[in-house]
Amino acid sequence: MKSEPEVFSWQDLANKPHKTSVWDGVRNYQARNFIRDVMSVNDEIFFYHSSCKTPGIVGIAKVVSKAYPDITALNPQSPYFDPKSAVDNARWFVVDVQLVRSFARFISLDELRQNQENLKNFPLLTRGNRLSVIPVTYENWQFILHLENTKLGTNL
DNA sequence: GCCAACGTTGGC
DNA sequence: GCCAACGTTGGC
């Protein structure tokens, strides 16, 4: 799951009560479908900082709720307001996420790219990818954990 | 700030 | 249903 640190950072999540926060504001149907139809309670998540000086993965969180309607879509004062959403016909969904642990070291997008051979079909690395919620295969997950615990890449 | 790569909107 | 125009994302 991607987040712009200036909007909601890893540290912001760490500062929340129970290190838990609603993940709201997703306004893309494909990402919405992953949240609503694919995610399950206890699923683990890589927390990715995007649109910042050095984009990359900072740690692991987990899903701690089922999907439920995103009420920010109903609030005209919210930047996430969507006039086409309705109380009785929710268009956008959220899950609650809880911090699990920080990575032993930051893994930058650049380092992920350097290991592209071992991250086949990882949608984060594909051209023009703009999805804010991206599925991670078991193989990709394991390799990234492996990367975390080795000294590969440039940010030693 | 630039721009590629999308996604969405709306006229037809 | 097509597609041009427009808006957004996100790396650089």
Side-chain angles (χ1 to χ4, degrees):
Chain A
M1 297 181 91
K2 297 183 191 172
S3 187
E4 300 182 27
E6 299 212 350
V7 177
F8 186 78
S9 70
W10 182 245
Q11 192 57 51
D12 291 332
L13 180 60
N15 291 342
K16 290 272 183 179
H18 309 292
K19 300 184 179 185
T20 299
S21 174
V22 59
W23 197 280
D24 57 15
V26 171
R27 295 292 179 270
N28 169 287
Y29 289 106
Q30 212 180 334
R32 188 276 313 271
N33 293 345
F34 287 132
I35 287 175
R36 189 188 58 185
D37 307 330
V38 179
M39 284 182 162
S40 307
V41 172
N42 287 329
D43 280 354
E44 288 194 313
I45 302 156
F46 287 139
F47 194 115
Y48 177 89
H49 276 169
S50 66
S51 292
C52 56
K53 192 166 185 178
T54 313
I57 301 172
V58 288
I60 294 175
K62 69 175 179 180
V63 177
V64 291
S65 79
K66 293 185 183 177
Y68 60 96
D70 186 345
I71 58 166
T72 64
L74 304 173
N75 177 6
Q77 308 305 320
S78 169
Y80 303 130
F81 177 60
D82 177 3
K84 292 176 181 167
S85 201
V87 184
D88 55 355
N89 186 17
R91 171 177 299 226
W92 305 112
F93 286 78
V94 298
V95 286
D96 294 339
V97 303
Q98 180 173 37
L99 188 149
V100 173
R101 66 175 181 85
S102 294
F103 263 8
R105 63 189 189 89
F106 175 74
I107 302 195
S108 68
L109 176 61
D110 184 60
E111 183 173 356
L112 292 170
R113 286 242 166 82
Q114 288 172 31
N115 290 277
Q116 204 141 18
E117 281 297 298
N118 291 299
L119 289 168
K120 294 253 197 299
N121 306 317
F122 190 29
L124 184 73
L125 303 182
T126 62
R127 240 163 90 86
N129 150 66
R130 288 168 40 194
L131 265 188
S132 63
V133 181
I134 299 169
V136 183
T137 64
Y138 178 80
E139 289 74 17
N140 289 166
W141 183 274
Q142 291 302 321
F143 181 77
I144 289 167
L145 291 187
H146 165 75
L147 256 191
E148 179 200 3
N149 293 307
T150 55
K151 303 278 185 183
L152 302 178
T154 53
N155 56 337
L156 299 177

